[in-house]
Amino acid sequence: MSVARSLLSGVLVLLAVLAAVLTVPARYVEGTLLDTDAFVAATAPLADEISTQDAVAEALTDTVVGQVDSGLVAGALRPVIGEVADVFVRSDAFAPAWEEASRQGHAATVAVLRDDSDVVDADGGVVTLPLDPFLEAVGQALRDRGLPVPEGFAQTGADVVLYASDDLSTAQSAVAVLDRWTPWALPATVLLAVLAALVARPGRRLPTVAVTGGLVAVAMLLLLVLLPEAVHAGFAGLDVGASGRQVLDDAVDALLVPLRTRLWWAFGVGALVGVGSAVAAGMVRRARAS
């Protein structure tokens, strides 16, 4: 009977650690990648990155050139439009526009991933950044220079493709699973850890808690090393174009910051539980021995 209890307790410990390994990334995805406010906050610093500014300026220039009378913009006026776009993306007005564009693009992307066809229609898993929040400011600057930019031209629906993927259905399925699993993830992890301790033989319960906490801490350290590399590798094959590669890399780095924070917190909790339980188990043994 004692052997069976030990085996069952060991299995429950492993399940608790596995649940913890799944819980932290799942809560990160739900709480950061699929939450528009959190996503916008995480990517807001990208507005200060030169690579982001250059990519948006280039996209704005191409869009404005396409909207203004082609006979007027041919040749000489394109550098002027490019200069205005470049000045705009380096101005204080760019950051608020970047946040608004990020909010619009993220809301549309999440709607696609959750297959919310009433909100947005997806085509081939393409994720884009809308340019309309930037265009009116650029258009006004061009009007101030005497260029014939029509009023309301900014409502073009133009965007810049951040990346395109053929695995949209797979991503939608994964998000559906996450939406169902995440609310139960943390309670399931705690329940499995508690059951592992309760099933353990008398005298082995505190050591079982210590082992569970220690394994969770080790698992979080491994995730801290492996997950960022896996995420970068996953995005490495995406077709983003030359100007989009650095922007995408910067965005991935920015979005990994909240993940690392969650992993460090989970490591701290696991280490605290592990060390605390080990110390408590030692004190109990010494008390019994005396």
Side-chain angles (χ1 to χ4, degrees):
M1 182 65 178
S2 62
V3 174
R5 291 181 67 173
S6 297
L7 288 175
L8 179 57
S9 178
V11 170
L12 289 170
V13 166
L14 292 178
L15 289 175
V17 174
L18 177 60
V21 167
L22 296 175
T23 294
V24 176
R27 290 177 70 87
Y28 159 74
V29 171
E30 286 283 327
T32 300
L33 298 187
L34 296 178
D35 182 272
T36 296
D37 289 337
F39 178 89
V40 170
T43 57
L46 294 177
D48 297 326
E49 296 291 337
I50 298 298
S51 58
T52 300
Q53 296 170 355
D54 289 346
V56 172
E58 180 181 351
L60 286 172
T61 301
D62 292 340
T63 302
V64 174
V65 167
Q67 291 297 309
V68 181
D69 185 355
S70 61
L72 295 174
V73 300
L77 288 185
R78 183 181 179 91
V80 176
I81 295 172
E83 178 187 346
V84 170
D86 192 65
V87 169
F88 166 70
V89 298
R90 281 142 177 74
S91 71
D92 293 338
F94 179 62
W98 169 261
E99 290 190 18
E100 179 59 25
S102 297
R103 186 174 299 278
Q104 291 181 18
H106 184 267
T109 301
V110 171
V112 170
L113 291 174
R114 289 196 163 123
D115 199 18
D116 189 354
S117 57
D118 291 336
V119 177
V120 67
D121 182 25
D123 183 14
V126 177
V127 177
T128 61
L129 179 74
L131 293 177
D132 286 357
F134 309 114
L135 285 172
E136 187 54 47
V138 173
Q140 185 57 53
L142 290 171
R143 292 186 203 101
D144 293 343
R145 293 195 177 199
L147 296 181
V149 179
E151 295 288 343
F153 96 106
Q155 305 305 315
T156 65
D159 51 40
V160 56
V161 175
L162 296 180
Y163 65 87
S165 173
D166 295 328
D167 298 327
L168 177 60
S169 61
T170 301
Q172 289 174 329
S173 299
V175 169
V177 171
L178 279 173
D179 285 342
R180 290 192 295 268
W181 154 256
T182 304
W184 302 98
L186 184 58
T189 302
V190 174
L191 178 61
L192 287 168
V194 170
L195 287 175
L198 293 177
V199 169
R201 291 180 291 117
R204 294 293 304 166
R205 287 172 179 166
L206 279 174
T208 297
V209 175
V211 169
T212 304
L215 288 176
V216 167
V218 171
M220 295 304 113
L221 284 178
L222 289 175
L223 289 179
L224 276 164
V225 174
L226 298 177
L227 265 185
E229 294 297 326
V231 171
H232 275 290
F235 281 102
L238 293 176
D239 181 15
V240 295
S243 63
R245 172 54 55 189
Q246 187 59 52
V247 177
L248 181 59
D249 288 342
D250 290 341
V252 170
D253 287 337
L255 290 170
L256 284 174
V257 172
L259 174 59
R260 290 191 175 97
T261 300
R262 288 176 181 269
L263 289 172
W264 277 118
W265 272 105
F267 165 78
V269 171
L272 182 62
V273 169
V275 172
S277 299
V279 170
M283 293 173 63
V284 169
R285 282 197 303 270
R286 286 192 295 272
R288 288 175 177 174
S290 60

